[in-house]
Amino acid sequence: MMIYFLAILVLLVAGLVVWTRIKAREIEAQYPPIGEMIDVGGYALHAVHVPRPERADLPPLVFIHGASGNLRDQMAPFRPGLEGRAEMLFIDRPGHGWSERGGAENQTPGGQASAIARAMQAKGMTKAIIIGHSFGGAIAASFALDHPQMTAGLVFLAPATHPWPGGVSWYYELASLPLVGPLFAHTLALPAGLTRLESGSACVFAPNPKPDDYVDITAPALVLRPQAFRNNAIDVTGLKPYLSRVSPRYREIKTPTAIVTGDSDSSVLAHIHSEGLARDIEEAELVWIRNLGHKPDHVVTELAIRAIEKVAGLDVDLQAAAAMAEAQLANDHAVCPGEVSLEG
């Protein structure tokens, strides 16, 4: 009896592995690379580079996406609003989207920041405003610490930058483990994740409504491919210990900084991260938005652009812009159909 049970189990696991491989290839065919591969020293990062326009009124801009994302997530809202105003680099973080992972150093925000710096140098970008959303905020902060000469300013959007109480979601912990993690990533993660793409994205946006085409435009399904899923899990589970070591150094950052965050963010605790940045970075401007969730990049894009302009030195009243954004969100009451949180 035990032999039959084991045989059925082996067949089930093998079937899930094959199905995952086939489905991952379908996802890749649906969301192919849309940029170029930039060699950063033995491995390549996938990026979309928008050259400097003749009439640029802003310095170069580099956009860093968050956990479970890829460059499409930042390019969708920001490229249309900033086209013709600045040189821009939208980049898949190491091991995400279509970027190669590189070495073990890329398991930390600091390592990923250095990889992004090399990609900038390869495109002739000597200095830029760094814009980081969520997990990308930790990378933006590390970039400013390790590459201050390349940092023209910082814009944090619902950032994850400080250690927090508790841990992370169980599936991140499971997928990051040796042996068990790869097995989970190659069998159950993709079919389970596909059932949660729409509802999980809705939770990230709540209380603001998720755009109907968000999943199609930003391709979060790419993170469900086995190796990408593992990379994402390793990043997320390693974030808190990394921030415990690095966040005390934020007082070293001496660059114009703006932080845009919502009081209804259920993914990252704004009173820990955003308020922590405002406390730690001298003269950083914190912009609180009532009734805003975890996606200021998509929900209050114009305000985020005003923050970029302010950091670039333009005369912008961010608090007045925030009041206008709040008025537009006052009647948002979208409900999260589950719990999705970087902080568990």
Side-chain angles (χ1 to χ4, degrees):
M1 192 61 153
M2 180 62 70
I3 293 176
Y4 288 120
F5 174 77
L6 290 175
I8 291 172
L9 182 60
V10 168
L11 287 174
L12 177 60
V13 170
L16 285 169
V17 169
V18 171
W19 186 90
T20 292
R21 183 174 299 176
I22 293 171
K23 197 64 182 178
R25 289 177 178 172
E26 290 179 1
I27 291 170
E28 291 180 339
Q30 185 176 1
Y31 303 109
I34 57 175
E36 61 183 296
M37 301 302 291
I38 303 174
D39 188 292
V40 291
Y43 63 99
L45 297 186
H46 174 240
V48 171
H49 177 244
V50 181
R52 184 183 185 278
E54 290 184 7
R55 299 183 179 181
D57 68 331
L58 294 171
L61 308 174
V62 174
F63 294 86
I64 307 176
H65 65 81
S68 305
N70 62 81
L71 66 82
R72 295 173 188 242
D73 192 40
Q74 298 298 287
M75 192 169 72
F78 287 117
R79 182 169 183 174
L82 289 163
E83 193 92 49
R85 299 189 62 189
E87 179 181 12
M88 292 181 278
L89 187 67
F90 300 92
I91 196 158
D92 281 339
R93 298 194 283 108
H96 297 260
W98 286 96
S99 286
E100 297 172 354
R101 182 62 161 178
E105 69 278 2
N106 286 335
Q107 295 180 7
T108 69
Q112 295 189 22
S114 293
I116 291 169
R118 292 194 294 275
M120 287 173 57
Q121 291 168 339
K123 300 307 297 182
M125 302 174 73
T126 58
K127 199 170 190 178
I129 293 176
I130 311 299
I131 302 102
H133 171 249
S134 193
F135 191 106
I139 297 172
S142 289
F143 190 100
L145 287 171
D146 297 339
H147 309 279
Q149 74 285 355
M150 299 181 68
T151 309
L154 296 168
V155 175
F156 295 96
L157 306 173
T161 51
H162 288 69
W164 62 89
V168 298
S169 298
W170 65 269
Y171 48 85
Y172 289 134
E173 296 281 5
L174 182 61
S176 67
L177 294 173
L179 300 179
V180 175
L183 178 62
F184 176 64
H186 281 86
T187 55
L188 298 175
L190 196 153
L194 286 176
T195 69
R196 289 282 296 156
L197 277 182
E198 292 288 346
S199 60
S201 297
C203 286
V204 175
F205 273 85
N208 316 115
K210 176 185 68 66
D212 291 338
D213 59 356
Y214 175 77
V215 169
D216 288 332
I217 289 176
T218 62
L222 286 171
V223 79
L224 298 178
R225 298 169 299 164
Q227 192 55 57
F229 195 87
R230 279 268 294 160
N231 292 337
N232 191 53
I234 290 168
D235 284 358
V236 171
T237 54
L239 182 60
K240 182 177 175 179
Y242 175 85
L243 295 177
S244 297
R245 298 192 307 272
V246 173
S247 60
R249 293 184 54 207
Y250 290 163
R251 287 181 171 83
E252 300 173 20
I253 297 175
K254 307 295 182 184
T255 190
T257 299
I259 307 147
V260 179
T261 198
D263 71 348
S264 300
D265 187 340
S266 62
S267 297
V268 171
L269 302 176
H271 70 276
I272 292 177
H273 303 274
S274 295
E275 286 190 346
L277 282 173
R279 176 196 65 229
D280 294 342
I281 300 178
E282 186 177 357
E283 297 185 3
E285 182 168 2
L286 175 60
V287 185
W288 273 103
I289 309 295
R290 288 190 293 272
N291 209 39
L292 173 66
H294 191 54
K295 293 297 287 178
D297 45 350
H298 284 259
V299 176
V300 291
T301 309
E302 287 302 317
L303 173 60
I305 291 175
R306 298 289 87 77
I308 292 170
E309 292 172 341
K310 180 67 176 288
V311 167
L314 302 185
D315 185 13
V316 175
D317 186 340
L318 275 185
Q319 301 307 321
M324 293 179 62
E326 284 183 347
Q328 296 171 351
L329 306 182
N331 295 321
D332 284 1
H333 302 292
V335 177
C336 170
E339 291 297 328
V340 174
S341 175
L342 182 65
E343 299 175 350

